[in-house]
Amino acid sequence: MKLRSLTIAVNLSIVFFTFLSQQALAQEDRSSFRMQITRPNHPVESQPLNTADGVMVPLFYGFSVLPPTDGSGLDEWPCQPTSGSNSADCSSIADGGLVVGIPYYTWSYADCDASSSTSTNCGQVLWSYEDDTGDNTDDLVVSVVAKQGTAFLLDTGSTNLGVNSAAVGSTVVLSKDVAFGTLGATGKNNGYCAGSKRTCSNPLPSAPITITVNTTIGRYKLIKSFKIVLE
């Protein structure tokens, strides 16, 4: 009888642990940033460059189509043929190319309204810059915030991606799959505000949403904003 009870307890523990592991993986996926670094294809100075736009030069940013996942569970884009863990997805394009989702200004309200606990990501925040800082000592810290008026619809909080490893002149591509709203929860750190100490609200249709991406390396900062709308 004791052996049977112990077996049942172990089995229940395995089921519970598996459930928690699946939850943790889902939360990790929701909060994960993806980064690709491409070194320059031409000689550059090793010290910080003094460019007209500063030492973190914005290249592009926007809200793009959500990528499908490949056989390894990785986003199929952003993708380059020789850079990143998903480079195999771009093996058919020539070196020097980059595959990204198509950016749009107008998005589906039904798809991006994350007001339910079963809501999923609807698009991908994407931005890129040239790193001319020469700073390989300080950490790279990023965040994404989306607001509709004064209401927060998304706030990742500051996410530390570790010591900046980009050489001078490198192109850095950052992305994050997201939606907007509470996921049916209330209070601070709810929904897509998890980890930020903010309280998220659900989006409204037609009113513009301002998305701000913040990239920091030590004393260097790059902040860019753009707008989308849900219809």
Side-chain angles (χ1 to χ4, degrees), residues 64-76:
S64 65
V65 172
L66 187 70
T69 55
D70 60 20
S72 299
L74 300 171
D75 279 0
E76 289 192 5

Side-chain angles (χ1 to χ4, degrees), residues 89-101:
D89 295 324
C90 283
S91 59
S92 61
I93 68 172
D95 188 18
L98 171 68
V99 174
V100 298

